[in-house]
Amino acid sequence: MTEKIDFHHKVILAPMVRVSTLPLRLLSLRYGADLVYCEEIIDFKILSSTRVENDILGTVDYVMSDGNVVFRTCAQEKGKLFFQLGTSDAERAVAAALKVQEDVAGIDVNMGCPKEFSIKGGMGAALLKKPEKVKQILSSLVKAVSIPVTCKIRCLPTLEETIELARIIEKTGVSALTVHGRTKEERPRHANRNDFIRKIAESLSIPVIANGGSKELKDCSDIQKFAKDTGCTSVMVARAAERNPSIFRKEGIIPLLDIVREYVKMAIDWDNNAINTKYCILQMMYKDMDIKEGDQSLTAVTMEEFSEIWGLQEYYQQHKQSMTKLLAMKYDKETEIHVVTTDDGHTTIEMPFKFYKKEFPPKITPKQRLYEATKRAGINKLEYDVTERKEDRCYNCILNVGGTVYTTPFWEKSKQLAEQGAAMVATTVLDIKDERQFVEGGQNEALLEKWKKRKNDCDVKDIYLSFKHLLDKANEEKLVKKRLNDETNDSCIEVKHFVSENQDDVVT
């Protein structure tokens, strides 16, 4: 049984790429939005992610194998958040929707994005000309999930074509339809086709949500005027909310600098990454970049810098200290190091390292540094034994270096990630410098600190000492060889000098 949501008389935050992330969604709800839509997330991406309950933040995160969070939600938006899905395939759409349906209030299918990456992938506005595909995707979703399904379209070149598509969409059983009043070729500078939206709303029995009117919206009262002009009771707001989410506030707009400061505070609270935070700040301030805060935000790259610009240094430091303590407690429990030695003397060491490319310099990897060091030590073969888990095509690697086995407990999304994780365990145990730059307060750093306390225990110390002995021996042999070469070269030089000095005495 599909849960019911009343789509009448609603003001809604639109799905906007890189903008409709958790901080802006929560600000929009605070100022009066009834529903919020997340940025479009492609089916492949959400299916490749892992759902993680983040006890530290109190969020549910969908995390990629490289550690990047592609979707984050929290209890404050429970029952009000719609997940916008980018898809071109009914089967993938259903799989993605089923994966997230317990964490969102509904699923929205993007059928209006005019961006090239969407259209090339057969998604977004590419679907406007494929009614059978539209019908297949939406019908499959409506049947499969227990939460409302909606979709968002743009106008087709003629009103008749648009109404025809809208009626096809209505018959799939969706709960509501959002219509952006421009065609896929038109941009914000073009007039919104409010008359199209009105005619579509009159032609359907399901709620129609009007979108595309941000040029006309200066405050909350304008939202109601736009609803009246389009014959809809509900309005979805994009750019006007991107510039200032207090557009939803019935009491009036809050000054921009106050809004940006609140946004930065929200970004700190929910551990929003600095890149996304900067993008949203610059979008908000696009007309006011000449003021001090705007100019400084252009060059800022870290959350600490943003906190300084917006007068939140103390708030940021307090939050950071609190998070560091909580993470230390969490990672202390989670970073278990397992060492098992069999009767025949072979040792297996398992450590929960995860390879994140961003924690290493360009073109440097643990595998590379391990190979170079073991080659110097005279170990000419590294055995990477990768196992695939058939049900989800994830991989685990067992690495054999000179008879000692290194591994992690993780099943990674690729063979390469699994191998790099195992190599990180080996470089750690063997004390090989791999130029790692672990994130401060992160799990890898916590694990490294734990290993430093463990590495002198007798069951692992001998492994490192044996490897060090091989390296020392190899270095010594290299020095002896160099000394012999130097002596040989010196002897050759002496002979040449002798011959040269005695050439006159040679009788021909």
Side-chain angles (χ1 to χ4, degrees), residues 296-337:
Q296 291 174 340
S297 293
L298 271 174
T299 56
V301 294
T302 67
M303 289 303 296
E304 185 170 7
E305 289 174 320
F306 287 120
S307 72
E308 291 173 2
I309 293 168
W310 297 96
L312 293 165
Q313 305 98 311
E314 186 177 348
Y315 186 83
Y316 173 77
Q317 291 301 332
Q318 289 176 350
H319 177 81
K320 183 179 178 181
Q321 289 170 12
S322 175
M323 289 295 103
T324 299
K325 288 179 182 177
L326 291 171
L327 283 169
M329 294 169 59
K330 173 183 170 68
Y331 292 146
D332 188 57
K333 293 179 182 178
E334 293 180 355
T335 53
E336 292 295 328
I337 298 170

Side-chain angles (χ1 to χ4, degrees), residues 288 301 409 450:
D288 298 277
V301 294
K450 202 165 193 176

Side-chain angles (χ1 to χ4, degrees), residues 25 44 163 174 206 225 278 316 335 423 439 446 448 489 503:
R25 297 199 305 264
F44 281 115
I163 290 176
V174 297
I206 60 172
K225 292 176 188 175
K278 179 174 182 173
Y316 173 77
T335 53
V439 173
L448 183 60
N489 289 335
Q503 275 183 340

Side-chain angles (χ1 to χ4, degrees), residues 419-478:
E419 289 176 350
Q420 294 291 3
M424 285 175 71
V425 179
T427 56
T428 301
V429 173
L430 301 177
D431 198 27
I432 297 168
K433 308 304 179 189
D434 56 16
E435 300 184 51
R436 58 185 66 176
Q437 299 166 359
F438 289 159
V439 173
E440 184 180 354
Q443 182 168 336
N444 282 343
E445 184 185 62
L447 180 56
L448 183 60
E449 291 304 312
K450 202 165 193 176
W451 171 253
K452 288 177 182 177
K453 299 174 185 176
R454 176 81 165 81
K455 67 179 186 179
N456 288 321
D457 292 354
C458 59
D459 59 343
V460 291
K461 186 177 181 180
D462 287 346
I463 297 170
Y464 160 68
L465 291 177
S466 296
F467 181 74
K468 185 175 183 299
H469 174 72
L470 290 175
L471 278 177
D472 292 343
K473 184 179 178 182
N475 288 334
E476 186 179 336
E477 289 174 352
K478 188 175 179 180

Side-chain angles (χ1 to χ4, degrees), residues 24 38 43 64 105 122 138 163 176 209 220 257 271 295 316 320 328 345 347 364 370-371 431 443 449 454 465 469 505:
L24 193 79
C38 77
D43 50 15
M64 300 300 288
L138 294 177
I163 290 176
I209 302 166
C220 189
L257 294 185
D271 196 27
D295 185 54
Y316 173 77
K320 183 179 178 181
T347 300
I364 300 296
L370 177 64
Y371 169 77
D431 198 27
Q443 182 168 336
E449 291 304 312
R454 176 81 165 81
L465 291 177
H469 174 72
D505 298 330

Side-chain angles (χ1 to χ4, degrees), residues 157-441:
T158 69
L159 176 60
E160 292 73 24
E161 289 176 286
T162 313
I163 290 176
E164 182 181 356
L165 177 63
R167 284 176 172 158
I168 289 171
I169 290 170
E170 181 181 38
K171 288 178 182 177
T172 65
V174 297
S175 299
L177 170 65
T178 301
V179 180
H180 183 120
R182 296 182 181 85
T183 65
K184 68 181 178 68
E185 292 80 19
E186 292 173 333
R187 293 297 175 264
R189 66 180 180 275
H190 297 104
N192 202 55
R193 302 180 186 214
N194 293 354
D195 56 328
F196 271 43
I197 300 175
R198 174 181 285 278
K199 291 294 185 183
I200 295 165
E202 291 171 354
S203 302
L204 303 185
S205 59
I206 60 172
V208 173
I209 302 166
N211 178 234
S214 281
K215 282 173 67 176
E216 307 164 32
L217 308 182
K218 306 302 178 192
D219 58 34
C220 189
S221 64
D222 291 330
I223 295 177
Q224 301 311 315
K225 292 176 188 175
F226 180 60
K228 187 176 180 181
D229 289 345
T230 55
C232 300
T233 63
S234 294
V235 171
M236 180 177 281
V237 185
R239 289 178 184 271
E242 174 187 58
R243 306 305 185 204
N244 191 326
S246 70
I247 188 78
F248 297 111
R249 188 171 178 264
K250 292 178 181 178
E251 296 81 6
I253 290 286
I254 293 173
L256 178 64
L257 294 185
D258 294 337
I259 280 292
V260 179
R261 188 174 188 275
E262 284 302 304
Y263 172 79
V264 174
K265 193 174 181 181
M266 193 76 79
I268 292 170
D269 287 342
W270 298 101
D271 196 27
N272 203 51
N273 70 72
I275 295 173
N276 181 252
T277 299
K278 179 174 182 173
Y279 179 83
C280 291
I281 291 172
L282 298 185
Q283 294 304 109
M284 290 179 184
M285 299 195 66
Y286 80 115
K287 284 185 177 179
D288 298 277
M289 293 306 297
D290 54 340
I291 65 175
K292 179 185 70 175
E293 290 85 353
D295 185 54
Q296 291 174 340
S297 293
L298 271 174
T299 56
V301 294
T302 67
M303 289 303 296
E304 185 170 7
E305 289 174 320
F306 287 120
S307 72
E308 291 173 2
I309 293 168
W310 297 96
L312 293 165
Q313 305 98 311
E314 186 177 348
Y315 186 83
Y316 173 77
Q317 291 301 332
Q318 289 176 350
H319 177 81
K320 183 179 178 181
Q321 289 170 12
S322 175
M323 289 295 103
T324 299
K325 288 179 182 177
L326 291 171
L327 283 169
M329 294 169 59
K330 173 183 170 68
Y331 292 146
D332 188 57
K333 293 179 182 178
E334 293 180 355
T335 53
E336 292 295 328
I337 298 170
H338 297 287
V339 180
V340 177
T341 303
T342 57
D343 292 339
D344 59 1
H346 287 91
T347 300
T348 297
I349 302 175
E350 180 189 87
M351 299 168 68
F353 274 122
K354 288 187 78 70
F355 174 72
Y356 300 124
K357 194 173 181 180
K358 61 186 178 184
E359 293 187 332
F360 291 84
K363 300 181 180 180
I364 300 296
T365 67
K367 280 186 68 177
Q368 177 188 350
R369 288 295 184 249
L370 177 64
Y371 169 77
E372 292 167 350
T374 52
K375 189 175 182 181
R376 287 197 304 272
I379 301 173
N380 296 317
K381 188 176 181 182
L382 301 176
E383 298 176 11
Y384 289 91
D385 183 10
V386 179
T387 302
E388 179 183 357
R389 191 165 61 188
K390 298 296 183 183
E391 57 265 32
D392 58 4
R393 296 198 66 187
C394 288
Y395 303 88
N396 178 263
C397 177
I398 294 174
L399 167 62
N400 190 316
V401 182
T404 300
V405 171
Y406 305 92
T407 188
T408 77
F410 300 123
W411 290 85
E412 302 285 7
K413 293 297 181 181
S414 72
K415 292 180 181 179
Q416 291 81 5
L417 288 173
E419 289 176 350
Q420 294 291 3
M424 285 175 71
V425 179
T427 56
T428 301
V429 173
L430 301 177
D431 198 27
I432 297 168
K433 308 304 179 189
D434 56 16
E435 300 184 51
R436 58 185 66 176
Q437 299 166 359
F438 289 159
V439 173
E440 184 180 354

